[in-house]
Each structure stands twice: as structure tokens, then as C-alpha cells.
Amino acid sequence: MIGNRVTVIVDRPIGSRHPKFTDLIYPVNYGYAEGVFAGDGEEQDVYVLGVRKAVERFTGTVIAVIHRFDDNEEKWVAAPEGMCFTREEIERQVRFMEQYFHSEIRM
């Protein structure tokens, strides 16, 4: 999957609140890859990095996969074509959510 292009439907844009945990505000765009299903039976979740404004849709490249050891799904990380992030940069940007899981970033 890493290196593939993906279109993300952003259902939680930058600045939006988590639907269940309203104290949690998304610092990045977050959504799903339409028609691609994850281990939880829902569409594949994707963090979108490198886009600093709220968007409804995004097409870019999958640059990493976050494997959760204590969950039944993985999260993809996508960025604009040609944009790169280090493992540390990805970790910092997704920490708002991933801090609650035992996970590793695979690049």
C-alpha cells in the first residue's frame, strides 16, 4: 500500500471535534479511503498530512501505515505527491489520537 495513490473522503477536517470525545480536536485532516475496507469492517481510515487547511477530499500518496497492536485496524498516512515526512514528524502529527494505542509506524 505504501507508495500507492489514494483518494480520501475527509469526514473530520482540521479543527473539527471527535464525534464521541468532544475534547479531542483534529489537528490534521482525517477521513477514509472510499471503497477500501479495513480490519474493523469499516472503510480504511487515513490521516492526511501536509495540507494545512480543512478539505473535503484529498488525493495523495500513502507514505506510512500505523499498525496498532491493540486494535483490529491499521491507519494509513497520506501526503501530497512528492512530500515526505520522517517517522518522528508523522508520530508528532498523529499523537493526538495514537497516544491512546500501542502502535508503530511502518514506512
Side-chain angles (χ1 to χ4, degrees), residues 3 7 25 33 43 63 66 77-79 88 106-107:
T7 296
I25 298 174
E43 288 173 300
I63 60 167
I66 299 173
V77 180
E88 292 76 21
R106 297 178 178 172
M107 300 177 74

Side-chain angles (χ1 to χ4, degrees), residues 3 6 8 16 20 22 25 34 38-39 42 48 54 57-58 64 71 73 82 87 92 94 102 104:
V6 65
V8 180
S16 65
K20 292 181 184 171
T22 56
I25 298 174
E34 191 171 33
E42 299 290 325
V48 175
R57 292 178 71 89
F58 168 80
D71 199 3
E73 66 177 316
R87 184 179 319 283
R92 189 179 75 251
V94 301
H102 176 131
E104 73 177 6

Side-chain angles (χ1 to χ4, degrees), residues 86-96 98 105:
T86 65
R87 184 179 319 283
E88 292 76 21
E89 289 170 326
I90 294 170
E91 201 170 273
R92 189 179 75 251
Q93 291 191 52
V94 301
R95 179 160 171 53
F96 74 99
E98 295 306 314
I105 297 171

Side-chain angles (χ1 to χ4, degrees), residues 38-87:
D40 64 354
E42 299 290 325
E43 288 173 300
Q44 176 64 53
D45 294 326
V46 185
Y47 292 108
V48 175
L49 305 186
V51 178
R52 293 193 167 95
K53 64 179 183 172
V55 296
E56 294 179 6
R57 292 178 71 89
F58 168 80
T59 300
T61 303
V62 176
I63 60 167
V65 173
I66 299 173
H67 175 73
R68 289 181 172 174
F69 294 101
D70 52 357
D71 199 3
N72 62 353
E73 66 177 316
E74 295 182 324
K75 304 293 184 181
W76 292 354
V77 180
E81 183 102 17
M83 186 176 281
C84 299
F85 291 88
T86 65
R87 184 179 319 283

